[in-house]
Amino acid sequence: MSSSDGPDVIEVLVRNGAGAGRRVTRGATWLMVTPDGLAAVEHGWKLHVSSRSATFPDLVETILPVLAAEGCAFKLARSCRVLAELNDGLTSPATVGKAVTIYPDQHRVRELALTLAALLAGRPGPRILSDRQVTRSAPVYYRYGAFEAAWESGERGRLTLVLHGPGGEVFDGAADLVCRQPPWAADPFTGAIGDGGSPAGPQILGGHYEVTAGLRQAAWGNVYAGVDGRDGAAVVIKQARALVSEDRQQADTRLRLRNERRVLQALDGVAGVPRFVDHFRHADDEFLVISDCGPANLIEDVLGHGAYRTGPGGPRSLGTLAAGLARILSQVHQRGVIMRDLSPKNVVISETGEPSIIDFGIAAYDGLHLDGATPGYAPARQRRAEPPEVADDYFALGMTLLFAATALDPVTAGDDPALPRHRALQAITAVYGASPPVIIGMAADLIGSSGQAAAGAFGYLVSGESGCRPASAGSLPATPVLTADIAAEVAGSLLDDLVRQAEQLLDTPPGQRAAHDASIYQGSAGIGLELLHHMSDSRAVHLLADLAAFTAQAAERAKLAPGLIIGTTGVEIFLRQAAASGVAVPRAAASAPGPDWQPDGDDLMVGAAGVGLGELWLSRSGDPAQLAAAVRCGHGILSGTTPATPAGDGSKLVAGLDPAAGRAHGLAGVTEFLLTLTARTGDENVLAAAAERAGQLARRTRPLIRHTTQLTAAPMAVSWCQGLAGIGPVLALAGTVLADTAMTTLAGEAADACIAYLPRIGTAGRCCGAAGVGTFLLDLAAAGQDERYWQAAERVGSQILLRSAGTPSHPVFAASSDDTSVGWAFGLAGLLPLFRRLANRGGSDSLPWY
C-alpha cells in the first residue's frame, strides 16, 4: 500500500469536509483526522463503519458531517483501492470491513453509534469479526480496544498490544477474528461486563451437520470438519462470508462458493473429486457441504512425511502421485471443466495415500469462470486474466509435482508473471542436474513453453506409461553462479535496501508493532548490529545514532525483559557495540539482571542460556556483576530451578526434525551456553554438565543427519533455529572445548547433510532458511581454512539468488516490504552478513559472540 501517489477522492472528501481545527494526516493505509487539543485516551470503546470499496465515497460523504460535528478523532482507509485490499481477507484478516474507525467520547459511544446506524440503515458492508454489530440493519460496529498503541513484551518476549485495567488487569487488545471484551469493561449497549461463556453443546450447522473440528479460520469464511447427523458421513463445511474479497466485477466469496457447487454437480461421480452434499444460507453467509477426502493436504503431507521419491514405484512415489492427479484432471476436463487452481493446498491425501483435488471456486465450466489465481502455481497467461485453457491445469500440475518432489514453492517475488516458471526450471537444474529423472523431466515439460510437450507429458501420465518415456528433450536453464564480484554487488544492493528500509522503520507509525520492536530477532538491534560492519558508509553512520536511540526507547516502552535474541540482553550488546564504534548512544549500559530475576525458560532466545551467553560477552569489559549473572544462569540450569523451555506442543509432525534438540529453544542452545561458560570459568561441574548434554545432543543429531542426507526430511531440518545449521556449530564448539574429535567429525557430517539438502531450501532467511546454513559453512571454512566449505557457502549464495526476483546484482526477496523483510531473522539484516563475508572472503558475523 504505497503512500507516494497523489490524493485520492477519499482524501479530497475528508480534507474538504473534516472542518476547521482538525489535522489530517496521510499514512500508507489510513487518513487520520485529529481535532486540535484533543485529550489523549489510552483505550476504550471505539466504533467501526464497514463499507464495500465500490460504495466507499458515498458513505464518506454521508457520515463526514456527523463526525465533524461530533469533534472526535477518526481514521479512514485512504482510498478505495486500499479498502479493497483490506477487504480481501488476505492482506490483514482482522481489518476486513474497517473502512472507518472512530474514537468517540466514552460518554457518547451509544448515542453516536445509534445515530450512525440510523443514518446508514440498509447499507451493505462486510461483517467485522472482531466487533459486535450495533443493529443488524446497518454496518456500524463496536469493540473495546486501544486508542493509543501500548505494545509491551509478554510471554516469551512476544510483543502484545496491552491494555491495563483499573484494577491492574492486563488484556491483549489486538483485534482478531473473534470478538473479545476485557473483564473490567461494560458493554455500552447490553451492560454486560466481560466476555460471556462459551455456548454449551455441539455446534450444529444447517440443521444436520455437527462440527467436529475447525480446519481453517479465515476472514472470508471458516472451514469445518463435521459429521452428517442423518447418516454419520464425514463432511467438510465451507463458509463464504458476504461481501469479502470482492473482485473487479464485485463478485465475492459467496459467488465463488456457488460456482464451486455448480462445478461439483457437473463432476458428480468423478473419482478423486469431493461429492456435493448440501448448500445452505445462514443470514447473509452461505455454506457448502462436501464429502471429506482425507486428513491432510499435500503441504501438510510433505511437511510431515518428507518429499515424494522420483524413483519408479514404491511408497510415496512421485510417479504414482503424478499419474493419480493427471487421471483426475483428465476426467475433469472430459466433463468440460478447467480446474484453474491446482496447487498443493488443494490436493488432499487420504490415509491410504490416494490424492483428491478440491476447491473449484474459480473453475471454468460452461462458458463461465471467475477471476483468481494462486501465485506461482497459475501460469502467466492466467495471471493476465486471459481465457482459460486446459494447458493452465498442465502448468499447475507441473508446479505441484515439483513441490511434492522438492518442497520448494514457486518464487513469487517481483512483478514478472513468467518468473515462477523460469525459477522452477532453474531449480530442476540445481536439484537434479541437466538430466533429471523421467518424472521430473515430464514436470519440466508441463511448465515449459511448448504446449505440445505439455500435452504429451500429460497424456503419458494419464496413460500410466510414464516409466517408458524418455527424459525431456528440452534444455534446462543454468542456475546463478556466485562469484566474489557478484557477491560484492549483491552486498552493496542489500546494504542500500537495508538502509532505506531501516529509515522507514524509524518513521513507523506508533500503532504498528514494528515501532516497538527493539530485539535482535526481528527488530532494530539486529539491524544495528549488521550496520556496525559498514561504518565506512556515511549513510550507515548517520543512521546508527538514530537507530540506537530508537532501540533504547523501544525497549523501555515495551518493558522488554532480559533475553538474548529477544530481550534487553541483545539490545545491550548492540548499544555497547555501537558506543565502542563511536556511535552516540542515549544512555549508559544497563546493569546485569539482579539476583531476583527469574528466567523465562532455559533457552537461547529469551531464557537463561541466551541471557547467560550474552552476559558472558558483556562481561569482557570487566564488569563482575555481568559475569556473576552468567554464572547464576548456569547454576539455575544445572540445579533445575530454571524450567526447561517447552519444545512445542507436538501437534505438527515435521519430518526429520527434533525441536527439543534445536538451538533456539532446545538442547543445542543450552549446551552452547554451558560450553562457553566452562571455557570461561573452568568450573568442573559446568564442564561435566556441558559434556553430558553434548553427548545427548550428538545422539539426537545422528538420526537427523540420516533423514536429511536421505532427503526424507522437511526443509526446517537444516534451519538455524531447529535444525542442523544451528546444531552443527554447537557440535563444533563441543569438539573444541571438550577436545573431542568425534564431536568435530559429527559437526562436519551435519554440514555435509546441509550441503546435500541445499538445492531444496526455499527460504532465504537466517532463522529458518539458507542464510543460516551459509553462516554455518562460512564459520567452518574460516575455522579450518577448508576450501570445500567456502565453495559450499558460495553455493548457498547462489541458492538464495535462485529464490529471488530482480537482477543477479540486485535481488528482491519479498513480495512487499513489511515488518519481516528488514530484520535479522527473516529479512535483509540476516542476508547481508552472508554476502558481505562471501565478498570479503572472511569477516565476522553480525552477532558478535559467535
Side-chain angles (χ1 to χ4, degrees):
M1 299 179 185
S2 172
S3 59
S4 60
D5 49 327
D8 180 87
V9 61
I10 300 299
E11 183 173 353
V12 173
L13 288 171
V14 171
R15 291 190 182 277
N16 291 338
R22 290 168 177 81
R23 184 174 68 257
V24 180
T25 307
R26 180 173 72 161
T29 304
W30 306 105
L31 291 171
M32 186 72 199
V33 180
T34 310
D36 296 338
L38 185 70
V41 177
E42 291 184 0
H43 47 79
W45 292 101
K46 54 186 177 180
L47 306 177
H48 288 112
V49 180
S50 176
S51 177
R52 304 169 70 181
S53 59
T55 59
F56 190 33
D58 182 62
L59 180 137
V60 171
E61 279 192 293
T62 301
I63 67 173
L64 263 179
V66 175
L67 298 181
E70 187 68 21
C72 60
F74 60 95
K75 68 180 182 182
L76 312 86
R78 62 177 290 265
S79 69
C80 295
R81 176 184 58 81
V82 166
L83 180 58
E85 293 179 9
L86 294 176
N87 285 349
D88 67 9
L90 294 172
T91 308
S92 179
T95 61
V96 168
K98 295 179 181 178
V100 184
T101 303
I102 303 163
Y103 306 92
D105 182 317
Q106 292 299 282
H107 297 97
R108 290 185 47 77
V109 174
R110 179 183 175 89
E111 183 176 349
L112 178 57
L114 291 174
T115 297
L116 291 170
L119 186 65
L120 300 175
R123 285 180 180 263
R127 187 159 76 255
I128 299 177
L129 300 177
S130 63
D131 291 25
R132 298 181 179 126
Q133 196 166 8
V134 174
T135 67
R136 293 192 62 181
S137 63
V140 182
Y141 296 78
Y142 66 102
R143 71 177 288 262
Y144 198 99
F147 283 28
E148 293 189 346
W151 291 90
E152 293 183 9
S153 176
E155 184 180 3
R156 310 295 302 154
R158 184 176 67 92
L159 283 178
T160 304
L161 189 59
V162 174
L163 310 182
H164 293 279
E169 306 95 332
V170 176
F171 182 76
D172 183 351
D176 54 28
L177 299 184
V178 294
C179 182
R180 298 179 299 109
Q181 179 179 328
W184 65 83
D187 187 302
F189 293 88
T190 68
I193 297 178
D195 286 326
S198 300
Q203 183 181 8
I204 305 295
L205 298 176
H208 305 293
Y209 310 104
E210 179 181 336
V211 173
T212 57
L215 301 180
R216 184 188 72 199
Q217 185 181 41
W220 58 84
N222 297 341
V223 180
Y224 306 95
V227 173
D228 190 334
R230 295 167 296 188
D231 58 10
V235 295
V236 172
I237 307 142
K238 301 176 63 175
Q239 177 187 27
R241 291 196 174 100
L243 305 178
V244 179
S245 191
E246 290 186 296
D247 63 18
R248 291 169 295 181
Q249 287 75 41
Q250 298 181 28
D252 65 7
T253 53
R254 294 173 300 177
L255 189 57
R256 288 187 275 280
L257 199 74
R258 295 169 200 163
N259 187 55
E260 182 166 10
R261 169 183 174 163
R262 77 182 187 100
V263 171
L264 289 180
Q265 289 175 316
L267 296 176
D268 185 43
V270 172
V273 173
R275 178 176 55 85
F276 167 73
V277 177
D278 199 356
H279 180 199
F280 60 90
R281 180 172 177 171
H282 179 75
D284 291 331
D285 298 344
E286 296 183 18
F287 294 80
L288 180 70
V289 185
I290 59 177
S291 58
D292 191 340
C293 294
N297 65 27
L298 187 59
I299 298 172
E300 297 161 334
D301 179 63
V302 169
L303 180 68
H305 302 288
Y308 281 69
R309 298 176 178 86
T310 57
R316 296 188 66 76
S317 161
L318 184 67
T320 301
L321 175 67
L325 291 174
R327 289 167 187 161
I328 297 169
L329 280 178
S330 177
Q331 294 180 66
V332 167
H333 294 165
Q334 289 172 19
R335 299 282 183 98
V337 174
I338 301 174
M339 200 274 167
R340 302 185 69 244
D341 201 16
L342 182 65
S343 67
K345 66 180 173 59
N346 290 336
V347 172
V348 172
I349 306 299
S350 72
E351 293 180 348
T352 59
E354 297 296 322
S356 296
I357 297 176
I358 65 168
D359 203 347
F360 288 81
I362 63 171
Y365 174 62
D366 197 23
L368 173 66
H369 70 278
L370 300 179
D371 286 344
T374 297
Y377 289 96
R381 60 179 312 282
Q382 185 174 337
R383 298 289 301 277
R384 294 191 294 263
E386 296 180 17
E389 294 181 358
V390 292
D392 301 343
D393 286 349
Y394 299 163
F395 180 92
L397 175 61
M399 288 300 229
T400 299
L401 294 177
L402 290 178
F403 172 83
T406 65
L408 289 171
D409 271 316
V411 175
T412 56
D415 305 333
D416 182 2
L419 181 68
R421 171 189 300 191
H422 182 67
R423 287 287 190 248
L425 293 173
Q426 288 182 307
I428 292 174
T429 304
V431 175
Y432 300 105
S435 300
V438 169
I439 186 63
I440 298 297
M442 282 192 284
D445 280 349
L446 288 168
I447 68 171
S449 58
S450 169
Q452 184 176 359
F458 185 77
Y460 271 104
L461 290 175
V462 172
S463 70
E465 298 175 357
S466 56
C468 302
R469 183 179 183 270
S472 172
S475 60
L476 294 169
T479 58
V481 176
L482 189 77
T483 64
D485 289 341
I486 292 177
E489 290 181 4
V490 172
S493 68
L494 290 175
L495 178 60
D496 292 342
D497 292 343
L498 181 62
V499 168
R500 175 177 52 81
Q501 291 195 37
E503 289 172 342
Q504 293 173 358
L505 175 68
L506 296 177
D507 293 329
T508 300
Q512 296 185 18
R513 176 191 175 281
H516 307 270
D517 193 343
S519 71
I520 287 176
Y521 189 69
Q522 202 168 315
S524 55
I527 298 168
L529 284 170
E530 174 55 23
L531 288 177
L532 286 170
H533 289 266
H534 303 272
M535 296 294 287
S536 61
D537 190 302
S538 60
R539 299 170 303 167
V541 174
H542 176 75
L543 182 59
L544 276 163
D546 291 338
L547 204 60
F550 175 98
T551 302
Q553 292 163 9
E556 186 173 351
R557 280 196 311 269
K559 302 176 183 177
L560 201 60
L564 180 59
I565 308 299
I566 302 176
T568 55
T569 313
V571 166
E572 205 53 52
I573 289 173
F574 164 52
L575 296 178
R576 184 80 63 88
Q577 284 279 83
S581 300
V583 176
V585 297
R587 59 177 172 80
S591 60
D596 296 332
W597 168 70
Q598 294 295 320
D600 190 2
D602 65 355
D603 72 346
L604 190 71
M605 300 293 284
V606 301
V611 172
L613 195 61
E615 293 298 332
L616 279 176
W617 186 90
L618 290 166
S619 70
R620 298 190 310 175
S621 64
D623 187 346
Q626 290 176 318
L627 180 58
V631 171
R632 285 201 309 276
C633 288
H635 289 168
I637 292 173
L638 267 58
S639 66
T641 56
T642 297
T645 299
D649 59 10
S651 60
K652 288 188 177 180
L653 172 69
V654 179
L657 197 66
D658 180 0
R663 195 170 186 178
H665 300 293
L667 180 61
V670 174
T671 304
E672 177 181 13
F673 164 55
L674 294 178
L675 288 167
T676 307
L677 181 61
T678 194
R680 177 72 176 274
T681 65
D683 188 308
E684 292 294 330
N685 291 329
V686 177
L687 174 62
E692 191 272 333
R693 282 172 169 78
Q696 290 181 27
L697 184 63
R699 289 190 293 274
R700 298 178 79 151
T701 301
R702 291 188 180 95
L704 304 182
I705 291 174
R706 183 173 63 253
H707 278 293
T708 304
T709 303
Q710 294 173 352
L711 304 178
T712 57
M716 283 294 290
V718 296
S719 65
W720 171 87
C721 53
Q722 297 187 58
L724 294 177
I727 294 171
V730 179
L731 294 171
L733 178 64
T736 300
V737 174
L738 304 176
D740 187 336
T741 56
M743 292 287 180
T744 304
T745 300
L746 191 60
E749 292 174 6
D752 291 343
C754 289
I755 294 169
Y757 200 92
L758 176 60
R760 298 165 183 265
I761 303 176
T763 303
R766 177 69 179 264
C767 179
C768 306
V773 174
T775 300
F776 174 30
L777 298 175
L778 278 175
D779 290 343
L780 285 179
Q785 293 302 306
D786 191 323
E787 185 64 25
R788 184 169 67 92
Y789 289 134
W790 281 113
Q791 293 174 356
E794 289 170 350
R795 293 206 302 277
V796 171
S798 297
Q799 178 68 12
I800 291 175
L801 295 182
L802 186 59
R803 303 299 298 169
S804 72
T807 64
S809 62
H810 193 163
V812 176
F813 299 101
S816 61
S817 297
D818 57 23
D819 291 355
T820 66
S821 65
V822 63
W824 175 88
F826 309 110
L828 300 173
L831 294 174
L832 178 52
L834 175 68
F835 286 96
R836 166 175 56 80
R837 296 173 73 190
L838 286 171
N840 297 331
R841 193 69 171 185
S844 58
D845 185 37
S846 60
L847 304 186
W849 60 89
Y850 288 149

